[in-house]
Amino acid sequence: MDVGVQQATLKELVSSRLGSLAESVDEINGQAVAEVTAVNLRPALSTLKESPELKFDYLSFVSAVDLYPRSPRFDAIYNLYSTQRHHWLRLKVPVAEEETLPTVSDLYATANWHEREVWDLFGITFDRHPDLRRIVTSDHWFGHPLRKDYPVEGRGAWPLGANVLQNIAEEGMADQADIASSEMGPARHITLNMGPQHPATHGVLRLALELDGENIVDCIPHIGYLHTGIEKLSEHHNWTQNVTHYGRMDYLSPMNNELAYCLAVERLIPDLEIPKRAQYIRVLMSELTRIISHLVWLGTHALDIGAMSVFMYCFAEREKILDLYEMVGGERMMTAYIRIGGCAADVPEGFEEAVQGWARDFQHNLDINHNLLTKNPIWKERTVGIGVLGREESINAGISGPLARAAGVDWDLRRDNPYSSYEEFDFDIPVETAGDVYSRYLVRMEEMVQAHRIVLQALEKIRETEPGTHVSRNYKYVPPRREDIDASIEGLIHHFKYWTEGIPVPTGEAYGFIEASKGELGFYLVSDGSARPVRVKVRGPSFSNLSALPRMVQGHLIADVVAIIGSIDIVLGEVDR
Amino acid sequence: MSLSSTPEPSRKPSAAPTGRPVSLAGVFTASLNKLVAWMQANSIWPLTAGLACCAIEMMATSASRFDIARFGSEVFRASPRQADLMIVSGRLSWKMAPILRELYDQMPFPKWVISMGACASSGGLFRTYAIVHGVDHVVPVDIYVPGCPPRPEALLDALIKLQKRIKSGSYVPAYARPPWKQWLEAPDR
């Protein structure tokens, strides 16, 4: 597939459709980028969405970059995708500090949460936004953390020491008062707080539920209880160190995060060739990761609905894959195995046999769960027809991954925009049309089978490549080999400089994306040519998927909320970052 | 036989049926302490308060391979009112801190806290504006477990260490030691 030609025609198409609405249309690192002014933003988005050749129906994320001391200070970023034509476009809108932007949450429902996040972290106001509150920091937070003048360790708004308990007690009380006053509906409705400490919210999600009897009238998710400031921290660590953070973001699929970040960085470095062996190892590991992520989803989802033994079977199976993780990366979960330029090490001796040993029993072990659940009348009673989200609605809400495929969106980045040599693999993409909890279950179960297929193919392909080519030979961007460090002073100096100074990544910007276990996981990076990024925006699939929760739960019972949350498969580490 | 004719039972302890002297009751009290400590140590019920990555390892600890039930702690309680042990598993954000403290306050005495992993113990990797750099700023911690995330074996080791301390009978929990003791006994609390 010739990406260059396709991008060139896309660029021409976009500039002809937008006409005078766009200030400029460029191609940066193989991706189309259009610059528009704040006044033209809404007309431009409507045009791009409606135009039959472009059909940008899916808003991947809204974010911003603080380019202080440039004037205007910020660039707002709108990343668009077409689920029919499978092409990407980034809109850039320069915004000064005192300026506002029009909201686009009526065009794309997903923009609602994304704009709130931009307001929270950058302080850019969106006119006519329906609910412009802070989202990841607490309501009483001071300042906007992702601005360049905000220190990474905070402003000391929370002094550690004698007053800390007093402070947090007041904060907790203020939060309670908020639920009681602002979220209460009509008098006969009651407001129920669910979480952030609740066994079925999969972490620290808090829901304020408005109930009529046991029926849910409204649901307001509160997130940010695991807000870590990973994006801020990434601006203060260098490109190579940053790989370490992202495994801890979506901690159910650590290697997927590393892969998405490394692909984004590699897009910024045009002369970095990734050897085939490294690409196949990456495919193998990311498919194993998909399986462990889905196993945790299945185990906890079934546990929430009341099937205890499934949890035990899933975790027993997961342990076997964690052993494989340990073989290649040395740790059970946070391996930081996938690095810029390839992988940290070659696969060890005996790895192939270990994977085959696991693969032999996998189908059988998955069938145990199938037999327990798929035709189980209780399971079907709890899942069929619950939490339905239609096709158009889910695209508009920015939903990706198994959730979208369960609603009939036939879209998988591995097939439609292949990365890391996925085009060489043979696999099917399960699509269901009902869009309920049960079809999400079926999609994920089938995805595990397909992932298993890909793993076996990848193993074949790894065998055909030359051992030791697990990382690029472009030593400007990868650490020197052990032999070189031992044999020459240049090698030693290189090693020292590589790990202390980091690598100079060329100036530019890029968006790297993968089909993670939960959907479209992307990293938008901005580099100024130094060893540290200017901006790392993480587009986590769970964030957008979770934002559609209120539409899914309305009209259902409280017990169904548990099933629906389980079916979205959220990881709060990725939602809050 | 009327009720009034029965003599008032003496408040003084009489000799035991076996004829042994009553003073042995003192010995019995001492072994009750031991009995209670033994029972407490072997049925530590943890609170289901998973925060981040470490929570997944905590779940793995409770699943079949590592089987925390061998040590009597498989009963993860969703309600703090029924829990003895808080395993702070993962990074604690400032937004979550008041809730964690409230959960701790709702747990009945005696209660213990394990700080699981680097983030919970010191903020770990994440020295940012959003994270509490060590949960011991918020709750009294009895045992710190290193690792990012700690292996299930490490968590089990922490549990066994806690059991040994409780069984020893002389262990003073972290909340009853300075600086938490003063805070607990402060008049304006």
Side-chain angles (χ1 to χ4, degrees):
Chain A
M1 190 180 71
D2 196 345
V3 179
V5 173
Q6 209 187 33
Q7 288 295 333
T9 50
L10 173 65
K11 186 186 146 189
E12 282 157 23
L13 252 177
V14 169
S15 54
S16 74
R17 284 291 168 276
L18 286 181
S20 60
L21 288 174
E23 303 294 300
S24 65
V25 183
D26 291 316
E27 194 193 315
I28 303 174
N29 289 319
Q31 292 170 327
V33 181
E35 192 173 314
V36 296
T37 57
V39 185
N40 289 337
L41 174 64
R42 283 180 60 90
L45 279 175
S46 309
T47 313
L48 293 169
K49 196 180 172 188
E50 302 307 329
S51 155
E53 299 93 352
L54 294 171
K55 273 274 174 220
F56 282 108
D57 50 357
Y58 171 89
L59 179 65
S60 157
F61 68 81
V62 181
S63 187
V65 185
D66 184 3
L67 293 162
Y68 183 83
R70 192 193 77 167
S71 178
R73 182 172 173 174
F74 302 105
D75 263 348
I77 310 288
Y78 294 75
N79 200 31
L80 297 167
Y81 184 71
S82 167
T83 53
Q84 290 162 29
R85 308 250 179 258
H86 306 302
H87 47 217
W88 297 89
L89 174 69
R90 265 200 309 279
L91 285 191
K92 251 189 201 177
V93 189
V95 198
E97 212 172 333
E98 63 281 359
E99 273 178 359
T100 60
L101 282 173
T103 180
V104 297
S105 53
D106 50 337
L107 292 172
Y108 297 97
T110 181
N112 186 328
W113 274 28
H114 284 279
E115 285 176 354
R116 274 176 72 187
E117 194 190 50
V118 172
W119 185 81
D120 188 358
L121 300 177
F122 287 94
I124 299 173
T125 315
F126 291 87
D127 282 337
R128 290 197 293 280
H129 188 283
D131 183 23
L132 199 62
R133 285 179 293 125
R134 284 192 182 266
I135 184 162
V136 286
T137 59
S138 62
D139 289 346
H140 316 284
W141 199 268
F142 177 70
H144 302 284
L146 279 185
R147 287 189 172 194
K148 288 289 178 194
D149 52 3
Y150 194 94
V152 64
E153 289 201 22
R155 286 194 163 143
W158 297 92
L160 291 177
N163 287 333
V164 64
L165 287 173
Q166 192 61 37
N167 282 345
I168 62 172
E170 280 165 14
E171 177 76 9
M173 235 118 77
D175 264 14
Q176 294 298 322
D178 284 351
I179 302 181
S181 60
S182 64
E183 287 159 13
M184 196 67 118
R188 66 196 187 87
H189 292 168
I190 58 161
T191 306
L192 183 76
N193 181 54
M194 185 172 173
Q197 197 268 330
H198 188 283
T201 53
H202 293 231
V204 284
L205 169 68
R206 187 181 124 206
L207 304 174
L209 300 169
E210 191 183 324
L211 302 173
D212 180 9
E214 212 183 324
N215 293 309
I216 291 154
V217 180
D218 201 5
C219 160
I220 302 172
H222 291 255
I223 62 169
Y225 291 97
L226 196 54
H227 179 53
T228 314
I230 289 182
E231 290 176 3
K232 182 80 177 173
L233 194 66
S234 301
E235 295 167 12
H236 290 256
H237 284 172
N238 67 37
W239 294 97
T240 37
Q241 286 171 323
N242 277 343
V243 178
T244 331
H245 303 167
Y246 305 123
R248 286 150 181 88
M249 208 169 54
D250 176 359
Y251 38 78
L252 294 182
S253 45
M255 286 213 203
N256 277 344
N257 296 257
E258 291 159 14
L259 177 59
Y261 172 73
C262 290
L263 285 174
V265 178
E266 283 153 13
R267 206 180 266 271
L268 277 171
I269 310 172
D271 55 338
L272 187 60
E273 278 282 318
I274 312 302
K276 278 285 174 194
R277 188 178 177 87
Q279 297 194 13
Y280 297 144
I281 298 175
R282 285 173 170 195
V283 168
L284 178 103
M285 294 318 291
S286 72
E287 291 306 315
L288 285 177
T289 306
R290 189 181 314 280
I291 294 175
I292 56 170
S293 171
H294 282 359
L295 283 173
V296 174
W297 155 77
L298 179 62
T300 52
H301 184 37
L303 186 68
D304 288 346
I305 299 184
M308 180 79 194
S309 37
V310 176
F311 172 81
M312 291 296 174
Y313 288 129
C314 287
F315 266 73
E317 190 61 25
R318 183 174 178 269
E319 289 293 332
K320 293 176 195 161
I321 301 179
L322 289 186
D323 284 348
L324 299 176
Y325 258 49
E326 225 175 323
M327 277 184 93
V328 298
E331 215 202 333
R332 278 163 57 85
M333 281 168 78
M334 310 305 171
T335 49
Y337 176 65
I338 295 170
R339 302 271 174 89
I340 297 165
C343 303
D346 206 348
V347 289
E349 223 169 283
F351 180 71
E352 196 184 323
E353 292 75 41
V355 176
Q356 276 166 345
W358 160 80
R360 246 192 315 277
D361 302 335
F362 177 72
Q363 187 62 52
H364 168 74
N365 291 336
L366 198 62
D367 285 344
I368 294 177
N369 296 318
H370 259 305
N371 293 342
L372 278 171
L373 298 176
T374 309
K375 288 178 184 166
N376 183 328
I378 303 174
W379 180 258
K380 287 179 96 167
E381 192 74 22
R382 289 297 307 273
T383 54
V384 176
I386 303 294
V388 178
L389 205 64
R391 188 179 180 280
E392 301 308 317
E393 212 181 350
S394 67
I395 295 175
N396 194 251
I399 285 175
S400 53
L403 232 70
R405 286 192 283 278
V409 186
D410 189 6
W411 165 43
D412 190 312
L413 288 168
R414 291 177 293 173
R415 181 196 61 196
D416 300 328
N417 305 74
Y419 53 89
S420 207
S421 297
Y422 261 109
E423 65 276 9
E424 297 171 17
F425 290 85
D426 180 27
F427 58 97
D428 301 323
I429 293 162
V431 179
E432 295 279 330
T433 47
D436 58 357
V437 175
Y438 188 65
S439 35
R440 289 167 203 153
Y441 159 78
L442 291 178
V443 165
R444 288 203 182 93
M445 291 299 265
E446 183 56 27
E447 273 188 10
M448 280 196 263
V449 176
Q450 297 300 330
H452 176 246
R453 258 177 85 189
I454 299 174
V455 166
L456 291 179
Q457 291 172 39
L459 215 52
E460 288 288 318
K461 288 183 192 289
I462 291 171
R463 200 186 300 137
E464 288 160 14
T465 54
E466 194 190 335
T469 54
H470 59 278
V471 69
S472 168
R473 289 285 164 91
N474 186 345
Y475 289 109
K476 199 175 168 193
Y477 301 110
V478 300
R481 289 179 303 172
R482 185 74 237 177
E483 307 90 90
D484 297 340
I485 305 170
D486 293 342
S488 71
I489 185 71
E490 289 83 7
L492 193 64
I493 293 171
H494 177 202
H495 179 263
F496 180 74
K497 283 178 83 74
Y498 182 90
W499 291 112
T500 51
E501 288 176 7
I503 51 174
V505 169
T507 311
E509 55 171 79
Y511 181 64
F513 50 83
I514 65 161
E515 182 73 33
S517 52
K518 293 165 187 69
E520 177 217 339
L521 170 66
F523 280 74
Y524 171 66
L525 306 175
V526 181
S527 169
D528 62 353
S530 73
R532 285 153 212 264
V534 171
R535 171 88 172 104
V536 176
K537 158 72 189 167
V538 186
R539 194 273 176 202
S542 300
F543 183 80
S544 296
N545 291 359
L546 180 63
S547 68
L549 179 70
R551 257 159 293 163
M552 289 186 220
V553 300
Q554 268 160 22
H556 286 298
L557 304 176
I558 300 177
D560 296 331
V561 175
V562 171
I564 294 169
I565 294 172
S567 77
I568 303 177
D569 190 18
I570 47 166
V571 168
L572 267 300
E574 184 185 75
V575 175
D576 300 339
R577 296 182 299 283
Chain B
M1 205 167 84
S2 71
L3 275 172
S4 57
S5 67
T6 49
E8 276 282 306
S10 165
R11 281 184 181 273
K12 273 187 161 182
S14 59
T18 50
R20 282 199 185 147
V22 192
S23 57
L24 266 181
V27 179
F28 186 71
T29 315
S31 45
L32 182 68
N33 277 346
K34 272 198 173 168
L35 188 72
V36 168
W38 177 74
M39 289 194 289
Q40 278 177 341
N42 287 307
S43 62
I44 302 175
W45 289 9
L47 176 70
T48 319
L51 294 178
C53 333
C54 290
I56 307 298
E57 286 296 68
M58 188 171 79
M59 278 155 65
T61 316
S62 72
S64 45
R65 188 187 196 175
F66 296 98
D67 195 12
I68 204 172
R70 291 178 292 162
F71 307 99
S73 295
E74 77 279 20
V75 197
F76 276 83
R77 295 279 96 182
S79 163
R81 308 273 182 205
Q82 302 164 346
D84 311 306
L85 171 67
M86 174 183 264
I87 302 175
V88 186
S89 50
R91 48 195 186 261
L92 178 68
S93 70
W94 281 116
K95 196 173 177 178
M96 186 66 191
I99 294 141
L100 190 87
R101 178 70 212 187
E102 195 165 325
L103 288 172
Y104 178 79
D105 284 338
Q106 287 176 354
M107 284 163 63
F109 288 99
K111 50 191 169 183
W112 303 279
V113 177
I114 290 178
S115 159
M116 182 181 180
C119 297
S121 302
S122 68
L125 182 63
F126 300 112
R127 290 197 71 81
T128 65
Y129 58 90
I131 292 295
V132 182
H133 301 164
V135 291
D136 46 9
H137 289 294
V138 182
V139 290
V141 176
D142 290 277
I143 293 184
Y144 298 85
V145 189
C148 189
R151 299 178 62 89
E153 293 95 328
L155 184 61
L156 288 177
D157 181 53
L159 185 72
I160 294 165
K161 284 205 165 79
L162 183 64
Q163 286 182 339
K164 276 188 183 155
R165 288 183 188 180
I166 298 169
K167 278 181 196 164
S168 78
S170 57
Y171 177 62
V172 184
Y175 60 77
R177 278 182 274 142
W180 296 98
K181 189 167 180 280
Q182 286 84 332
W183 189 80
L184 204 70
E185 289 166 359
D188 59 336
R189 196 179 116 71

